[in-house]
Amino acid sequence: MAVDLTPRQPAKAYGGEGGAYYEWSPAELPMLGVASIGAAKLSLAAGGMSLPSYSDSAKVAYVLQGKGTCGIVLPEGTKEKVVGVKEGDALALPFGVVTWWHNTPGSATELVVLFLGDTSKGHRPGQFTNFQLTGASGIFTGFSTEFVGRAWDLKQDDAAKLVSSQPASGIVKLSAGQKLPEPVAEDRKDMALNCLEAKLDVDIPKGGRVVVLNTANLPLVKEVGLGADLVRIDAHSMCSPGFSCDSAYQVTYIVRGSGRVQVVGPEGKRVLETRIEGGSLFIVPRFHVVSKIADASGMEWFSIITTPNPIFSHLAGKTSVWKAISPEVLEASFNTTPEMEKLFRSKRLDSEIFFAPN
């Protein structure tokens, strides 16, 4: 039975004055469950704070909009890292990491963060389960005051007061004048990479640009077990048909712009053909071939690939497999003439991955 690959928008899970948390559900996007991938988005208003929590899944976080602060405590870490974040930043968050997020008071824009990750070891395939440390749904609200008091060496009355003093769940808006730690410049090292400022891995004039996250430029990617990339293509440009060579799923979030996408699977069947636009998410199954063409606005997307150092094979352009295959094999494969083979091989000699409009 074919799985519906239609791109989807997220639904609000919870939130309030400080912001909201949105998530994609496997019930709406079945490929999330098939691929054991989770996808969610955090949006914080000015002064909003996402309370400290950890997840059942390793993730990559990507800042879609705004700037603010992320607090990170690594497993067995003895000191919190306080990282200043801004649009274009990617962070790898391994299992067991405790994080909090904060949007600067007085900010003119919301701080919006995308989370994509592996849920294969989680409670619900295709959906993150977040464990809040404090608040109405916090971990310690489930323990008796005796246990909380013993754990923190507090009198039971004090323990009960401490645990119940935060009535909000997940996201709060800080009071005027309430301070949080300032970002520490050296805490960014090996924790965040700005994809809008990083060295380009691919740069095709009037075609597109790519920055790849891997173990070389963001070491924690290895612990997360995911690779990622940010791709920007210009107006009416095409991304070459290609597929992942290493049995990986590709999860794509359209950051901005719009265009068309086609995905082809086994037996030459087109399994997806649709328009895509900012805010939508879709998943390309393993070994399926995908290609995109941007509208006049161009298109930008952020993807994770379920391997830390992904390898792709392209079927058009100067690096395509057809350029490596001998003329005789190509003629026989297409059942065509030597003249047509020469015409075919003479095309796309200078283009790689992205094709600008003629």
Side-chain angles (χ1 to χ4, degrees), residues 204-334:
I204 308 297
K206 297 183 180 179
R209 291 149 295 284
V210 182
V211 170
V212 178
L213 271 71
N214 52 36
T215 54
N217 55 19
L218 195 59
L220 280 175
V221 162
K222 183 176 182 180
E223 292 187 41
V224 172
L226 302 168
D229 59 21
L230 177 69
V231 180
R232 290 166 283 171
I233 61 175
D234 297 324
H236 303 299
S237 288
M238 180 182 192
C239 182
S240 169
F243 63 95
S244 170
C245 300
D246 41 16
S247 188
Y249 291 95
Q250 185 177 2
V251 186
T252 298
Y253 175 85
I254 307 301
V255 177
R256 57 179 56 86
S258 60
R260 293 175 290 146
V261 61
Q262 291 186 356
V263 178
V264 176
E267 300 179 358
K269 292 182 179 179
R270 189 183 308 157
V271 293
L272 177 66
E273 179 175 15
T274 190
R275 278 195 84 255
I276 45 178
E277 57 186 17
S280 60
L281 182 98
F282 71 99
I283 300 175
V284 178
R286 293 180 296 180
F287 299 111
H288 284 50
V289 179
V290 59
S291 182
K292 309 177 190 73
I293 298 177
D295 290 338
S297 59
M299 190 159 52
E300 178 178 335
W301 64 86
F302 185 81
S303 297
I304 64 162
I305 303 93
T306 56
T307 180
N309 292 297
I311 301 173
F312 284 92
S313 183
H314 293 277
L315 301 181
K318 69 178 184 181
T319 59
S320 92
V321 295
W322 293 116
K323 300 301 183 188
I325 289 177
S326 62
E328 296 82 1
V329 171
L330 195 149
E331 286 177 35
S333 298
F334 279 103

Side-chain angles (χ1 to χ4, degrees), residues 41-97:
K41 192 161 63 171
L42 173 67
S43 180
L44 293 178
M49 178 186 182
S50 175
L51 297 174
S53 67
Y54 64 92
S55 174
D56 63 351
S57 306
K59 305 175 185 175
V60 172
Y62 181 72
V63 181
L64 297 167
Q65 175 185 300
K67 60 181 180 179
T69 307
C70 176
I72 302 172
V73 180
L74 295 169
E76 300 183 351
T78 57
K79 188 177 183 299
E80 173 187 68
K81 292 181 180 291
V82 183
V83 180
V85 296
K86 63 181 181 179
E87 181 179 344
D89 276 348
L91 299 88
L93 304 175
F95 282 107
V97 167

